[in-house]
Amino acid sequence: MRIFTRKHGTLSSSVLNLLRREKPPEISTFTEHMKHGAGSCIDKNYPTASLKTVFSGDIPTSGNSRQSTGLMGYPLFSTYQGFFHCWFLCEAHCKDLVNQILAAPPQLQTLKLFDELSNAICVYADCVKFIAENAPNDKIARAAIVCNHNAHEFVEKLNTNVDLYKAIKSVSDKEEVVSNFNSEDITALKSFLNDMELSGIHLPEDIRNSYVETMSEIATAGANFLKLGQEPAVVKYIDTPEALRRTYANEYKKKIEFIELHGPGTEHAMSDVREFTFRHYHAFNQDRENELVNLLQARHNMARSVGFSSFSERELRHTMAGSPETVSTFLRNLHSELKPLVKAELEHIKYAKSDDNRHDFSEPGINPADGQYYSRVLNEKFLVNNHKNEMFLDMLELQNVLEGLNIFCEDVLKISLVAESPMKGELVDASVVKVGVFDEKEGLVGYIYLDLYERDNKAPRTCLHTITCGTRTQIPVVVLQCSFLRKPMEKTEHFHYPKLNLDQVQTLFHEFGHALHAILGRTTYQATSGTRGPTDFSEIPSMLFENFISHPEVYYAVINPFVLYNELDFKLGTTNLFNTPYSALRTETNIVYSMLDLELHSTAPTCTRDVANKLFSKYSHLSNIPETSPHLRFSHLYFYGARYYSYIWSQSIANLIFYNLFHDDPFNENSGDKLKEFLKKGSGSDFKSSLDELVGYQFTQDDMIAAIVEPLRIFQNSYLDSQDISK
């Protein structure tokens, strides 16, 4: 994350008049505001409870408290006006910090003031951004959106403040000062310098102005690309396959001429429906192509204007990988090692498709829609056939999953998750549960708001929001957001609590890995705490937690925490993780999209279709469906520009950690202690050195590749090769 990443704008006269008429809560400084939050909102008269109890609906999570506050525990966020009053306080506080920085001699205190400035703006803006997307009513939402915009523009002013840059640069240039810094000081100093220089602040004024203009072009092109990518495909009803026509006829109960396709249809059991839907949903679209080219060109021009040869070089310079060349080598070598495993997997998929369609094995080609469908179907078949306990096949109740997660954390990391009582007005919705995280030695270490259910006024995505970072002087607060569907009970105001499939459970564990990374971080500087690091580093804990829940012993504990695990329940024991079967093809697809993302952001071509067709033809084993361009709906080209590789990179390192520390004993306490110490460091130390220490040796890129390939090879040797695929 950059040191300053916010924007703001001016307030309209109507808003200012409204502020004058209604007095906000009595908080006069931003420092006083920061003393509030989740940690100050504890009703001692209200009992704590286990997560299972709360999510089972046995006790209410809010409403009994006689004390009241504002959203997320901040009194100023109790009213529409309070958001603006808080922004005035935040802006004044930040301006005062800027003056202190400019007046101070180049020393360690300058660095700490920089971090205090970054923390102040993030404490305000991160919280307001979350509220803007999940506000309890439109009035609060509008206030939060305006204030979030305010903060963003204010940050742009900080990013282009040459005097601020000179102040932090003067610290870096003083060898006699830096020589007394510890490794964490130096990491934070480099982080602040690098983040400001990415904006070209060290370059002449005309170039800086050009940068600002180009950033506006990027935002416009990106928004257009995303909007066009979400539009449905419209096809004539009469042209659709019969099975699809029956589906729509049953749904609409009337004569229809056109139908809308809102997805690629990879979940459909009929191959002709899959191919038809995929072909039309992903048909080449010139408007999408134009906006993607505009986005790539704008990013390329921006990177060139501030001294980089390409956008990919700019994005990767301060990551673990360090350069596009390193990433490219990693992806190509991984693809080469994976190739025979993909071919073997495809043989099974071909026979499965041939059997479904009742025609010769030699006839069916495997297209992208087939690949996604049969990888999922064969994975599910493997899990069904290789587990003796019928409980494994059941959908898991959310409250049991959370209780199992708590038991795992208690056993491995010596931390407990306890549902606590929020104050009146603290939650964005009554369904949100406030969770205190307690270490057995240190006591309270942070708070997690579990916002897990779908609702109308909520952004429909799965993610982690960091409200405050964890440092040695600041308790971290995060929001874990999902959108699980609750079905209402008939004739009551209550809901049936959701049951989750394996993919949803893995998603929940993935986000919880992010949450723990943020909660357990204990660095000196918030800029290097928890998840505030490059994507290819910050995704490692989340990928590791996917491995945890994919381990049969951990999954069994989640199914029934009070029954001992019996290895005989698994015909293959614990050798194969649940996320391993039939995943070679899926991994290859992710590799090719990572290659495409890197290539597009390295060359900024004027025709992306040609680049995509060439890459998929060379590296994908799937048959192309003519006149399709799936990459034009691939939103990660915008969100992860040049960094989509991070998931595979992080997965490889997470696998190294898992297989060296946890595979044979996922509840090993000594390994848990090592992991917890690693998480405490955040990104405040050298990435590679801290990972080497955790894994136990200095691993190489070849080790990372083997960590992905070997589990797949073990699965194929122990299961795939023994199957008679002609049956």
Side-chain angles (χ1 to χ4, degrees):
M1 173 178 278
R2 296 177 57 194
I3 170 180
F4 307 125
T5 54
R6 318 290 173 204
K7 276 192 173 181
H8 91 295
T10 58
L11 298 177
S12 67
S13 58
S14 60
V15 171
L16 291 174
N17 290 333
L18 185 61
L19 291 177
R20 295 188 184 102
R21 288 199 302 270
E22 298 191 30
K23 188 177 180 181
E26 293 290 343
I27 292 179
S28 58
T29 68
F30 191 70
T31 302
E32 185 180 352
H33 166 80
M34 292 173 68
K35 291 179 181 178
H36 293 274
S40 67
C41 300
I42 301 175
D43 185 353
K44 296 181 179 179
N45 296 319
Y46 189 87
T48 59
S50 71
L51 295 183
K52 183 172 183 178
T53 301
V54 173
F55 277 91
S56 295
D58 294 337
I59 65 172
T61 59
S62 64
N64 286 351
S65 175
R66 288 173 291 180
Q67 304 177 58
S68 63
T69 184
L71 293 173
M72 312 309 293
Y74 295 106
L76 286 175
F77 293 160
S78 61
T79 67
Y80 176 94
Q81 298 79 19
F83 282 85
F84 297 102
H85 180 66
C86 188
W87 169 242
F88 292 150
L89 297 179
C90 179
E91 186 177 37
H93 180 65
C94 290
K95 287 180 178 179
D96 179 62
L97 289 172
V98 169
N99 291 334
Q100 292 183 52
I101 291 170
L102 299 182
Q107 55 187 3
L108 182 61
Q109 182 62 20
T110 306
L111 181 60
K112 293 188 175 181
L113 286 170
F114 247 79
D115 192 63
E116 188 177 346
L117 174 61
S118 178
N119 188 52
I121 195 73
C122 288
V123 164
Y124 178 82
D126 287 339
C127 187
V128 168
K129 181 177 183 293
F130 167 72
I131 294 172
E133 296 178 357
N134 302 277
N137 59 63
D138 290 341
K139 195 172 183 180
I140 292 294
R142 289 195 298 270
I145 289 170
V146 172
C147 290
N148 186 45
H149 182 71
N150 289 353
H152 274 279
E153 187 162 299
F154 180 74
V155 167
E156 281 308 310
K157 291 182 179 180
L158 296 179
N159 283 332
T160 54
N161 188 322
V162 178
D163 292 333
L164 264 181
Y165 171 72
K166 289 179 179 178
I168 195 68
K169 186 70 167 64
S170 66
V171 177
S172 177
D173 292 341
K174 287 279 186 180
E175 293 184 8
E176 64 273 22
V177 173
V178 177
S179 62
N180 294 316
F181 284 8
N182 60 34
S183 60
E184 196 174 352
D185 297 331
I186 293 173
T187 300
L189 176 62
K190 289 181 178 178
S191 175
F192 289 135
L193 272 175
N194 294 338
D195 287 340
M196 295 194 79
E197 289 178 354
L198 286 176
S199 302
I201 197 168
H202 56 302
L203 299 174
E205 183 177 1
D206 59 334
I207 296 180
R208 295 200 305 273
N209 292 337
S210 173
Y211 169 86
V212 173
E213 293 175 4
T214 309
M215 288 299 290
S216 177
E217 295 175 12
I218 291 172
T220 300
N224 291 339
F225 176 66
L226 292 177
K227 181 180 179 181
L228 290 170
Q230 294 170 353
E231 292 181 349
V234 179
V235 296
K236 288 184 177 181
Y237 175 78
I238 194 65
D239 293 337
T240 61
E242 182 180 352
L244 194 59
R245 288 203 299 272
R246 286 199 302 268
T247 299
Y248 279 88
N250 291 335
E251 179 180 350
Y252 289 102
K253 306 291 184 182
K254 62 182 181 180
K255 184 177 180 180
I256 51 178
E257 186 175 356
F258 295 95
I259 62 174
E260 292 183 346
L261 304 175
H262 291 270
T266 55
E267 75 288 346
H268 206 285
M270 301 295 292
S271 61
D272 60 335
V273 173
R274 286 197 304 273
E275 182 170 342
F276 176 89
T277 307
F278 191 95
R279 181 190 302 275
H280 287 84
Y281 184 73
H282 284 307
F284 176 78
N285 180 286
Q286 190 62 54
D287 290 337
R288 292 191 201 109
E289 168 75 4
N290 291 343
E291 291 301 341
L292 179 56
V293 169
N294 291 341
L295 172 64
L296 296 171
Q297 291 287 344
R299 281 176 165 173
H300 186 72
N301 293 338
M302 179 270 289
R304 292 293 296 269
S305 72
V306 293
F308 296 94
S309 62
S310 66
F311 184 77
S312 63
E313 182 194 3
R314 176 186 183 271
E315 288 297 289
L316 301 186
R317 174 164 292 187
H318 303 300
T319 61
M320 275 196 71
S323 70
E325 293 75 23
T326 299
V327 174
S328 180
T329 299
F330 170 73
L331 294 174
R332 289 199 310 271
N333 291 344
L334 175 57
H335 181 272
S336 178
E337 291 294 318
L338 197 66
K339 190 182 298 184
L341 303 180
V342 174
K343 289 181 177 179
E345 198 171 283
L346 276 175
E347 292 301 306
H348 281 246
I349 291 176
K350 286 180 180 179
Y351 273 107
K353 181 177 180 180
S354 175
D355 185 58
D356 282 351
N357 294 344
R358 294 179 174 82
H359 49 50
D360 293 337
F361 162 72
S362 58
E363 183 178 335
I366 304 301
N367 60 49
D370 293 330
Q372 292 183 50
Y373 173 76
Y374 283 106
S375 291
R376 177 179 59 81
V377 169
L378 292 176
N379 182 289
E380 292 174 354
K381 182 179 178 181
F382 163 79
L383 295 177
V384 169
N385 291 341
N386 287 277
H387 195 281
K388 296 180 180 179
N389 192 319
E390 292 183 359
M391 284 197 306
F392 172 80
L393 307 180
D394 294 339
M395 300 279 281
L396 302 187
E397 292 187 347
L398 175 61
Q399 61 267 33
N400 290 337
V401 173
L402 292 171
E403 185 62 23
L405 179 58
N406 181 42
I407 290 174
F408 176 78
C409 289
E410 288 179 340
D411 289 351
V412 178
L413 299 173
K414 303 305 176 185
I415 59 174
S416 300
L417 310 175
V418 179
E420 296 200 350
S421 168
M423 287 188 181
K424 184 178 180 181
E426 181 180 351
L427 306 179
V428 294
D429 188 80
S431 65
V432 177
V433 174
K434 180 181 179 180
V435 177
V437 184
F438 293 86
D439 183 275
E440 68 172 13
K441 294 180 179 179
E442 300 177 17
L444 177 69
V445 293
Y447 287 99
I448 304 174
Y449 289 96
L450 296 177
D451 187 1
L452 303 182
Y453 299 129
E454 182 182 70
R455 61 179 181 272
D456 291 340
N457 62 335
K458 176 180 177 180
R461 57 196 179 103
T462 299
C463 60
L464 185 83
H465 298 270
T466 299
I467 306 301
T468 57
C469 285
T471 67
R472 293 186 175 94
T473 59
Q474 181 171 275
I475 292 290
V477 179
V478 301
V479 181
L480 196 163
Q481 178 176 325
C482 296
S483 292
F484 300 137
L485 180 63
R486 292 191 300 174
K487 295 182 179 180
M489 297 180 180
E490 292 184 7
K491 300 180 180 179
T492 73
E493 296 179 355
H494 302 292
F495 291 86
H496 293 286
Y497 286 85
K499 292 186 176 182
L500 311 182
N501 59 33
L502 178 58
D503 287 342
Q504 291 172 315
V505 174
Q506 285 180 330
T507 297
L508 185 59
F509 266 67
H510 177 101
E511 296 304 330
F512 190 80
H514 281 310
L516 276 192
H517 196 187
I519 290 293
L520 296 180
R522 286 299 181 272
T523 55
T524 301
Y525 303 95
Q526 67 84 32
T528 58
S529 177
T531 56
R532 300 219 161 157
T535 310
D536 59 2
F537 177 77
S538 61
E539 286 293 333
I540 293 171
S542 56
M543 301 302 291
L544 177 61
F545 265 74
E546 284 195 35
N547 279 344
F548 282 137
I549 191 55
S550 296
H551 192 288
E553 189 170 345
V554 177
Y555 193 79
Y556 195 86
V558 171
I559 293 174
N560 192 335
F562 308 104
V563 176
L564 293 177
Y565 164 76
N566 184 349
E567 188 168 337
L568 294 178
D569 286 325
F570 301 92
K571 296 178 183 178
L572 296 180
T574 60
T575 302
N576 294 282
L577 302 187
F578 297 152
N579 58 359
T580 298
Y582 297 97
S583 59
L585 182 59
R586 183 176 68 248
T587 302
E588 182 188 73
T589 301
N590 288 338
I591 291 172
V592 180
Y593 271 104
S594 298
M595 289 177 168
L596 176 63
D597 176 46
L598 188 67
E599 177 69 17
L600 292 178
H601 286 98
S602 296
T603 59
T606 56
C607 178
T608 70
R609 177 167 58 171
D610 292 345
V611 176
N613 288 342
K614 182 178 179 180
L615 276 173
F616 276 89
S617 175
K618 182 175 182 180
Y619 291 104
S620 176
H621 285 82
L622 296 172
S623 301
N624 180 47
I625 297 179
E627 301 303 318
T628 60
S629 295
H631 72 284
L632 294 180
R633 289 188 185 269
F634 190 58
S635 62
H636 290 318
L637 291 175
Y638 174 69
F639 291 118
Y640 289 89
R643 292 176 287 112
Y644 185 66
Y645 78 93
S646 297
Y647 285 100
I648 299 177
W649 181 281
S650 298
Q651 180 189 347
S652 69
I653 298 175
N655 285 6
L656 276 176
I657 297 169
F658 184 79
Y659 281 96
N660 278 283
L661 272 69
F662 294 103
H663 180 260
D664 294 336
D665 181 8
F667 290 92
N668 187 286
E669 294 181 14
N670 292 331
S671 296
D673 289 341
K674 292 178 182 179
L675 175 60
K676 190 155 67 169
E677 287 303 310
F678 167 76
L679 295 174
K680 285 182 178 181
K681 297 176 183 177
S683 58
S685 58
D686 179 74
F687 304 133
K688 184 61 167 60
S689 298
S690 60
L691 286 165
D692 285 340
E693 182 180 355
L694 178 60
V695 172
Y697 59 91
Q698 295 183 357
F699 62 87
T700 65
Q701 196 175 104
D702 288 341
D703 295 321
M704 292 166 59
I705 291 172
I708 291 180
V709 174
E710 286 307 310
L712 301 178
R713 184 172 286 131
I714 290 172
F715 164 71
Q716 290 201 357
N717 291 339
S718 63
Y719 176 77
L720 214 63
D721 292 346
S722 65
Q723 303 301 299
D724 183 356
I725 60 178
S726 64
K727 294 183 179 180

